[in-house]
Amino acid sequence: MQNKIEREIEAYIQTLDELIHITSHKVRAPVCTSLGLIQILNANSLPSASIPELKALIEPLQRKITEIDHLTRELTLFMNEKKNWYKNKIELKAA
């Protein structure tokens, strides 16, 4: 019975590892790329007639992408905390 519980916990930890990878790499990658492009657009000197229009488009986009960035960081932190809690639980039982 004990081994079954430990195997289930280890499977759960593996699932958390996969979710951490997806969140921290696959989801965050396009977010980081988008944020970088926005920084480039903000830094470049574009024709003055288009700057107000461009900023009107960029600012809400930047806010939303930043929200997604914070969310993915929060999810990754949460999953890491859960994974470490379960790992510690297994290590304490093994000791």
Side-chain angles (χ1 to χ4, degrees):
M1 181 73 165
Q2 187 72 15
N3 286 337
K4 181 182 177 190
I5 293 170
E6 287 178 9
R7 283 194 306 271
E8 287 175 1
I9 291 173
E10 287 172 1
Y12 183 73
I13 290 171
Q14 183 177 354
T15 301
L16 284 175
D17 277 336
E18 292 171 15
L19 288 170
I20 290 166
H21 176 77
I22 289 168
T23 304
S24 64
H25 296 284
K26 293 184 177 183
V27 175
R28 285 205 70 238
V31 170
C32 291
T33 300
S34 299
L35 287 171
L37 290 171
I38 289 170
Q39 287 178 346
I40 291 169
L41 288 172
N42 279 329
N44 283 344
S45 53
L46 300 170
S48 60
S50 66
I51 288 177
E53 296 166 354
L54 189 56
K55 284 191 179 224
L57 295 172
I58 289 174
E59 287 172 1
L61 177 62
Q62 187 172 16
R63 278 194 306 275
K64 291 300 174 187
I65 291 172
T66 301
E67 286 177 28
I68 295 169
D69 183 42
H70 291 299
L71 173 65
T72 58
R73 289 174 190 260
E74 187 178 324
L75 283 171
T76 301
L77 180 64
F78 172 78
M79 288 182 283
N80 271 318
E81 287 172 355
K82 292 297 179 190
K83 180 183 84 169
N84 290 334
W85 186 85
Y86 277 98
K87 274 186 168 182
N88 288 336
K89 192 172 183 177
I90 289 173
E91 289 170 1
L92 287 175
K93 287 183 181 182

